[in-house]
Each structure stands twice: as C-alpha cells, then as structure tokens.
Amino acid sequence: MPGVRAIEQKVIPACEDMKSFERFLESPCEIGIILEIHISLVKHVMALAKQHNKKIIFHMDLINGIHNNEYGTEYICQEFKPHGLISTKGNVIQKAKQNGVLSIQRMFLIDSRGLKKTLNMIQKVQPDYVEVLPGIVPEMIQEIKETIDIPLFAGGLIRSREEVKRALQAGAAAVTTCEKKLWQYGDEF
C-alpha cells in the first residue's frame, strides 16, 4: 500500500498499565501499544520510549482526560507526535492521517451487521491498518483480508504462539497482545 509505513514486527506488545509498559521497554520489540493511560502520563511515556528507542501507538479512545474526537486527536498528534493512533472512530482516524500519524482502525467482530457497518466505514476512511478483535478467529481474518486492501492486525484473546501463527497464516500482518510471554518473539514468526 503506497504511503503506509510498513510494520515488520509480527508481535506488537499491548501495554495495559505502567508496569507492562516498563516490561515493553525491556523487550526486543521496537513498537508497542499503550491501551489505557491518563493524559498526564503521555509526556512521561513518550520520553521513556524515546530513551529506549521505542515507538508508541496510543489507543486514542482510552486516553483518559481528553476527548477522543478530532480536537483531542489533533492535540495528541501535534504535542506528542506518537508513531500511531488506534481508534474505533472514523473522525479520529482521519485526523491522525492528516497529521502524518499511523492510523489503525479497530473493529470488533460482534455480528454480521456490525461487520458490514465497520467495513463500510473502513472503505470510506482508508486507515493505514485495521485491527480485528478478537484475533483468534482465522476464518474472519481471512475473509476481511479478502474484502479490504488494507493490512490487518489481529488482537484480543491471543495467548499462545500457536494462536499467533494461525492469525499470521490467515493473513494478519501482525498480532497485538497483552500476553507478555509472547513479546519476546517480536519478529520471529
């Protein structure tokens, strides 16, 4: 895909708290996701990441203390310059793209109606990546991969090397996971 900064890392750590963020800093992985954080800690997290040569993707919908709309997104992009932003909201994805920040549309596989609605939004917004949750459904990863021409991440409920392998074999470009034991594998798959 032209213009997309390719992510070669196959396992992307998803940090749930500061303790897991510290574990990520010690991991071999270059890129990590910060799931939930208070706005007051973003500057500190970015400084630590820079010291450790790490790139941070924030889940914009889970930054407490700031709205997950285009204004909040603009502020995060301009003030902190993260590597990327994840969101379920199309307006956040568009604003991230406008600011030159990697955009990742998160989609939840709940039912057929929701799938269709989200796929329509993805076609309209054209994020750099799509994160499919839960990521343990290889058949759905393959179906979505065949439907849209956007690289996929598989996330949610992935807890073993075998589940990582199945998601990658189904067409995911990478797997996002909170499971720390998998972080050591970064690029090995």
Side-chain angles (χ1 to χ4, degrees), residues 97-135:
K97 287 178 66 167
Q98 288 171 5
N99 280 276
V101 171
L102 196 71
S103 62
I104 303 161
Q105 176 79 48
R106 184 176 254 196
M107 74 181 300
F108 293 97
L109 299 176
I110 298 171
D111 59 22
S112 296
R113 183 175 177 266
L115 174 64
K116 184 177 179 182
K117 183 178 176 183
T118 304
L119 287 173
N120 286 337
M121 179 175 48
I122 288 167
Q123 294 290 8
K124 178 182 172 191
V125 177
Q126 290 292 302
D128 297 314
Y129 288 87
V130 173
E131 183 185 30
V132 178
L133 287 97

Side-chain angles (χ1 to χ4, degrees), residues 48-59:
L48 284 172
K50 186 174 183 177
Q51 286 177 3
H52 290 84
N53 296 314
K54 304 289 186 177
K55 296 177 181 175
I56 300 297
I57 298 170
F58 287 103
H59 191 314

Side-chain angles (χ1 to χ4, degrees), residues 5-14 29 31-33 57 86 102 104 128-136 141 145 150-156 158 161 163-177 182 185-189:
R5 290 176 278 170
I7 294 180
E8 302 298 327
Q9 189 174 305
K10 297 301 179 195
V11 175
I12 302 173
C29 298
I31 298 170
I33 297 169
I57 298 170
I86 296 173
L102 196 71
I104 303 161
D128 297 314
Y129 288 87
V130 173
E131 183 185 30
V132 178
L133 287 97
I136 57 167
I141 293 169
K145 180 77 177 138
I150 298 172
L152 300 178
F153 294 158
I158 295 177
R161 281 190 69 146
E163 289 167 338
V164 172
K165 287 179 187 176
R166 283 195 299 263
L168 295 172
Q169 288 169 348
V175 168
T176 63
T177 182
L182 297 174
Y185 301 115
D187 298 331
E188 288 185 27
F189 290 93

Side-chain angles (χ1 to χ4, degrees), residues 13-29:
C15 305
E16 303 169 291
D17 52 31
M18 287 303 288
K19 189 171 183 163
S20 62
F21 172 67
E22 291 167 4
R23 288 273 306 268
F24 158 65
L25 293 176
E26 297 168 3
S27 80
C29 298

Side-chain angles (χ1 to χ4, degrees), residues 19-101:
K19 189 171 183 163
S20 62
F21 172 67
E22 291 167 4
R23 288 273 306 268
F24 158 65
L25 293 176
E26 297 168 3
S27 80
C29 298
E30 176 188 22
I31 298 170
I33 297 169
I34 305 296
L35 292 176
E36 191 161 351
I37 190 169
H38 190 274
I39 185 68
S40 65
L41 293 174
V42 172
K43 184 176 183 179
H44 176 67
V45 163
M46 290 300 292
L48 284 172
K50 186 174 183 177
Q51 286 177 3
H52 290 84
N53 296 314
K54 304 289 186 177
K55 296 177 181 175
I56 300 297
I57 298 170
F58 287 103
H59 191 314
M60 189 64 202
D61 302 353
L62 300 177
I63 300 177
N64 296 306
I66 192 166
H67 285 289
N68 61 338
N69 61 18
E70 54 275 359
Y71 300 110
T73 303
E74 184 89 27
Y75 176 76
I76 294 294
C77 290
Q78 290 185 8
E79 187 68 22
F80 303 109
K81 298 173 181 39
H83 186 68
L85 291 177
I86 296 173
S87 181
T88 58
K89 297 184 172 199
N91 60 341
V92 169
I93 298 301
Q94 288 176 322
K95 188 55 72 173
K97 287 178 66 167
Q98 288 171 5
N99 280 276
V101 171

